[in-house]
Amino acid sequence: MASKITEQQVEHVAELAKLEFPKDELGKFTTQLGNIIDMFEDLEAVDTDGVEPMTSATDRVNVMREDKAVKSSKEEQEALLNNAPETDGGYIKVPAILDESEDGE
């Protein structure tokens, strides 16, 4: 069933995910994506009637600490900012990942 996936579709998915890879690896990724879709089709064929939905792999409930804001010291802030590749006015600068231009480029 992997033959259903085309190299053009793989290129499109890669572009949407902002991934780049050499053209000579396109066939490998086409096969891999086809195999992944095949696995989902196999899972889709499994009879799950009467199976309770699972929301967690364990029976533990909320094992994380409480999410509470804590004021950090000036030294902690400086140490954090010193580890960042680029900062601006006490903030860490990161590259834009969303292109909001209307040309789709």
Side-chain angles (χ1 to χ4, degrees), residues 6-7 18 22 27 30-31 40-41 48 57 61 69 72 74 76 80 86 96:
T6 67
E7 289 185 352
K18 298 200 180 283
T30 301
T31 300
F40 276 96
E41 288 174 349
T48 57
V61 178
S72 57
K74 186 71 174 165
E76 290 172 319
L80 172 70
E86 192 175 354

Side-chain angles (χ1 to χ4, degrees), residues 5-17:
I5 301 300
T6 67
E7 289 185 352
Q8 290 77 23
Q9 289 171 315
V10 172
E11 287 177 318
H12 179 69
V13 170
E15 184 180 324
L16 291 173

Side-chain angles (χ1 to χ4, degrees), residues 5-57:
I5 301 300
T6 67
E7 289 185 352
Q8 290 77 23
Q9 289 171 315
V10 172
E11 287 177 318
H12 179 69
V13 170
E15 184 180 324
L16 291 173
K18 298 200 180 283
L19 297 174
E20 293 180 18
F21 49 84
K23 290 284 186 194
D24 61 334
E25 293 185 11
L26 186 58
K28 177 178 89 171
F29 288 114
T30 301
T31 300
Q32 288 178 349
L33 185 57
N35 291 340
I36 291 168
I37 291 174
D38 287 348
M39 283 190 274
F40 276 96
E41 288 174 349
D42 290 344
L43 289 172
E44 200 171 59
V46 174
D47 179 17
T48 57
D49 288 342
V51 177
E52 284 289 318
M54 187 170 128
T55 58
S56 175

Side-chain angles (χ1 to χ4, degrees), residues 39-95:
M39 283 190 274
F40 276 96
E41 288 174 349
D42 290 344
L43 289 172
E44 200 171 59
V46 174
D47 179 17
T48 57
D49 288 342
V51 177
E52 284 289 318
M54 187 170 128
T55 58
S56 175
T58 70
D59 59 352
R60 291 185 165 202
V61 178
N62 197 13
V63 295
M64 295 183 267
R65 67 171 171 77
E66 183 181 347
D67 188 14
K68 204 164 53 171
V70 179
K71 182 81 172 153
S72 57
S73 68
K74 186 71 174 165
E75 293 80 24
E76 290 172 319
Q77 291 174 6
E78 288 174 5
L80 172 70
L81 293 173
N82 287 337
N83 283 320
E86 192 175 354
T87 62
D88 183 19
Y91 294 97
I92 298 173
K93 288 184 74 171
V94 297

